[in-house]
Amino acid sequence: MTSMGETAVLDAERAEEIKLLANEAFKANKFSQAIELYGQAIELNGLNAVYWANRAFAHTKLEEYGSAVQDATKAIEIDPKYSKGYYRRGAAYLAMGKFKEALKDFQQVKRISPNDPDATKKLKECEKAVQKLRFEEAIAVHESEKRSIADAIDFRSIDVEPQYIGARIEGETVTLDFLKKMMDDFKNQKCLHKRYAYQIVLQTREMLRAMPSLVDITVSDGDHFTVCGDVHGQYFDLLNIFEINGFPSQENPYLFNGDFVDRGSFSLEVILTLFAFKCMCPSAIYLARGNHESKSMNKIYGFEGEVRSKLSDTFVELFAEVFCCLPLAHVINNKVFVVHGGLFSVDGVKLSQIREIDRFCEPPEEGLMCELLWSDPQPQLGRGPSKRGVGLSFGADVTKRFLQENNLDLVVRSHEVKDEGYEIEHDGKLITVFSAPNYCDQMGNKGAFIRFKAPELKPDIVTFSAVPHPDVKPMAYANNFLRMFS
């Protein structure tokens, strides 16, 4: 018979073996597998801080920053002198935009390893970011007193230089010919003149402002409708979707379900293309807000830096304003509820309540609007805390009740990378669709979109693989010190 002590030794040895397998999975970008294996190692030996810190890092890679913070905190509790615990937690806080909490953790790393040049560099960057944030908070104008930047822009008075050879909008109308030329210019990494960029963004703003927070879409019998998930600045994959499924038009309408920008380094090209189709034919394309159509995310994940680099500071403010006009959810033929994130922390939410949300603001930290943009499904019943640290996780029972109470058949949402580009959960009542293949050039996933044909609206899922793009890395314009962690 083995004694308690011997069992513990055997468990510890086995845990080490599993950790090595987890490390291999991590190196192969198989982060979910790595999380599962680190979990097994923790079950055998929960007092090894390294396993918790490693699992925290894997959670970070899957954007599960809430879980990463929890695991890193556990590593710190086990070994308060383990600098990597603070380091991992600091990185997760940074990714959530919680700069002040991150700063505390990096200060701790520096205390534990005063001679580590890397820690010193990251602490400096973090201090700079927090100073900048404090400065911005100090000079910020209250939302209610803000003047609209859009009202101050007169694109008609901007001259186009004779030597400009890019796409041109003649008069007020965005045509398919203009769009094709612009898309082709973007393909060759040429910029659109800012006069036309202003025209597209301002016209889109007018249309979006007039829409309700919950938009009803009607698809006539025999017609079809396509729903796409996150595109995340992967412009060349967006062109591939149009290649496979045709351009948006009255006969071939699309809904893009949020997260058009950030991470991928062609976010400006993506957003101008989607907005230009909206201008060309408003019923050809519907756009929903994602959690990345917000100032705090754009500051960290690249869109702000990209717009500043390719256009100007004024455009940064203008896009922030237009993103606040994006509707929050769509319902197709009173049957299919489409939203970026997911459902709610309370039962009994009616479609009429969603329709009444005052959405013209930055997304709040809690409440219906926040949950629409941030929540995720979970395999267990009921509700649980969010892996992301924002919103919540909800089970099949929550989905079923929401559908029954609102007389709907299906929830379609995006917001999470899936190996096959989609996943069907909650007894077939919920589909996740994600349209950025090989996400961030490293996840190896497929992309997908869903075609619905009326009247049955049976989801027909089409998957596709990533296509090559010019050698500009994801996050090329992202916040300086976030890049230091990726």
Side-chain angles (χ1 to χ4, degrees):
M1 231 176 104
T2 50
S3 69
M4 292 273 289
E6 285 169 322
T7 307
V9 170
L10 288 171
D11 281 352
E13 284 171 4
R14 179 82 189 107
E16 263 310 288
E17 288 165 18
I18 294 173
K19 179 195 85 170
L20 294 176
L21 293 173
N23 290 352
E24 288 306 310
F26 186 95
K27 281 190 200 117
N29 293 336
K30 296 188 168 146
F31 303 117
S32 303
Q33 198 186 332
I35 287 169
E36 203 160 297
L37 289 164
Y38 288 130
Q40 290 174 23
I42 286 167
E43 273 176 31
L44 289 165
N45 180 13
L47 292 177
N48 187 323
V50 176
Y51 303 163
W52 292 96
N54 285 9
R55 191 169 74 173
F57 194 21
H59 278 303
T60 303
K61 289 291 193 182
L62 289 182
E63 299 172 34
E64 296 170 353
Y65 305 122
S67 300
V69 167
Q70 282 179 325
D71 277 358
T73 302
K74 189 76 185 154
I76 292 162
E77 284 166 10
I78 293 167
D79 181 359
K81 289 198 168 56
Y82 181 49
S83 65
K84 209 165 240 179
Y86 295 99
Y87 184 87
R88 295 282 177 243
R89 189 171 69 181
Y93 277 139
L94 269 189
M96 293 164 91
K98 298 189 170 182
F99 297 125
K100 290 167 191 170
E101 287 90 333
L103 183 59
K104 285 189 195 130
D105 279 337
F106 292 130
Q107 284 165 338
Q108 199 55 36
V109 173
K110 183 85 175 87
R111 269 182 220 120
I112 296 167
S113 4
N115 303 322
D116 177 354
D118 188 48
T120 311
K121 192 170 130 205
K122 291 196 161 83
L123 179 59
K124 274 215 180 74
E125 283 294 333
C126 206
E127 282 169 342
K128 269 204 309 228
V130 171
Q131 270 167 345
K132 196 171 158 227
L133 201 70
R134 290 204 171 113
F135 176 68
E136 283 168 0
E137 281 170 1
I139 60 165
V141 184
H142 192 271
E143 288 293 326
S144 59
E145 295 156 32
K146 261 211 178 104
R147 299 223 356 255
S148 158
I149 188 113
D151 297 340
I153 298 165
D154 174 17
F155 69 85
R156 291 177 187 82
S157 68
I158 299 173
D159 289 329
V160 180
E161 305 73 19
Q163 62 269 34
Y164 172 72
I165 55 163
R168 291 169 181 263
I169 301 172
E170 302 302 335
E172 300 294 301
T173 323
V174 173
T175 62
L176 186 58
D177 283 342
F178 161 78
L179 250 152
K180 286 179 175 166
K181 167 90 173 104
M182 178 185 80
M183 286 158 71
D184 216 48
D185 286 349
F186 285 164
K187 222 157 119 176
N188 299 310
Q189 293 184 269
K190 294 195 181 85
C191 280
L192 179 67
H193 195 283
K194 65 173 187 290
R195 179 205 153 100
Y196 305 123
Y198 275 131
Q199 187 169 344
I200 288 166
V201 178
L202 290 167
Q203 277 186 18
T204 305
R205 174 178 174 264
E206 285 309 302
M207 281 183 276
L208 295 175
R209 270 174 78 185
M211 300 177 87
S213 291
L214 174 72
V215 176
D216 287 291
I217 296 170
T218 306
V219 185
S220 306
D221 286 2
D223 290 348
H224 64 267
F225 188 87
T226 302
V227 179
C228 296
D230 304 27
V231 180
H232 274 302
Q234 298 187 194
Y235 178 67
F236 292 81
D237 295 306
L238 174 67
L239 293 184
N240 187 37
I241 292 173
F242 295 152
E243 194 75 19
I244 297 167
N245 197 54
F247 283 143
S249 66
Q250 194 129 20
E251 300 69 44
N252 188 33
Y254 282 78
L255 162 57
F256 281 85
N257 197 27
D259 283 13
F260 323 119
V261 301
D262 278 341
R263 296 193 179 270
S265 296
F266 303 95
S267 291
L268 181 64
E269 289 80 357
V270 166
I271 198 74
L272 286 176
T273 300
L274 296 177
F275 280 7
F277 272 114
K278 186 82 186 155
C279 294
M280 180 189 83
C281 174
S283 61
I285 194 163
Y286 295 85
L287 302 165
R289 193 172 193 173
N291 61 309
H292 277 268
E293 277 69 50
S294 71
K295 265 193 222 169
S296 59
M297 290 288 122
N298 297 162
K299 224 183 228 358
I300 306 175
Y301 290 101
F303 185 58
E304 185 181 299
E306 184 181 338
V307 171
R308 195 168 274 135
S309 152
K310 293 177 182 174
L311 287 167
S312 68
D313 283 359
T314 310
F315 272 100
V316 171
E317 276 186 71
L318 180 59
F319 275 114
E321 207 171 282
V322 178
F323 286 167
C324 291
C325 303
L326 287 161
L328 303 175
H330 292 77
V331 174
I332 308 170
N333 286 5
N334 301 319
K335 285 185 176 179
V336 182
F337 179 71
V338 190
V339 66
H340 179 70
L343 301 180
F344 309 103
S345 53
V346 290
D347 282 335
V349 176
K350 290 279 194 276
L351 294 181
S352 55
Q353 285 168 266
I354 300 171
R355 204 167 278 120
E356 283 156 19
I357 294 173
D358 177 8
R359 69 180 188 279
F360 299 96
C361 59
E362 287 303 314
E365 301 264 307
E366 52 183 29
L368 297 187
M369 179 168 166
C370 168
E371 289 162 2
L372 284 165
L373 299 181
W374 280 95
S375 295
D376 295 295
Q378 63 177 22
Q380 319 82 300
L381 294 180
R383 294 179 170 90
S386 162
K387 306 173 285 202
R388 299 173 191 268
V390 192
L392 67 139
S393 299
F394 58 96
D397 51 337
V398 175
T399 300
K400 189 175 165 190
R401 279 197 301 273
F402 173 77
L403 291 171
Q404 279 171 346
E405 285 165 356
N406 289 288
N407 212 356
L408 298 160
D409 296 344
L410 178 69
V411 174
V412 172
R413 43 88 61 179
S414 306
H415 193 41
E416 279 182 292
V417 61
K418 297 290 178 191
D419 286 345
E420 291 304 313
Y422 72 96
E423 188 174 357
I424 302 173
E425 294 170 83
H426 292 183
D427 310 314
K429 294 291 183 197
L430 181 141
I431 305 178
T432 297
V433 61
F434 191 84
S435 307
N438 194 22
Y439 180 44
C440 292
D441 286 359
Q442 66 161 11
M443 299 297 278
N445 60 294
K446 286 198 173 88
F449 54 81
I450 308 177
R451 280 174 65 102
F452 290 98
K453 192 173 168 185
E456 299 83 12
L457 293 192
K458 193 170 86 32
D460 174 22
I461 300 172
V462 179
T463 65
F464 56 95
S465 296
V467 294
H469 63 75
D471 187 23
V472 184
K473 300 280 176 276
M475 305 282 276
Y477 301 92
N479 189 302
N480 224 341
F481 60 146
L482 199 75
R483 283 213 300 280
M484 304 198 305
F485 290 92
S486 47

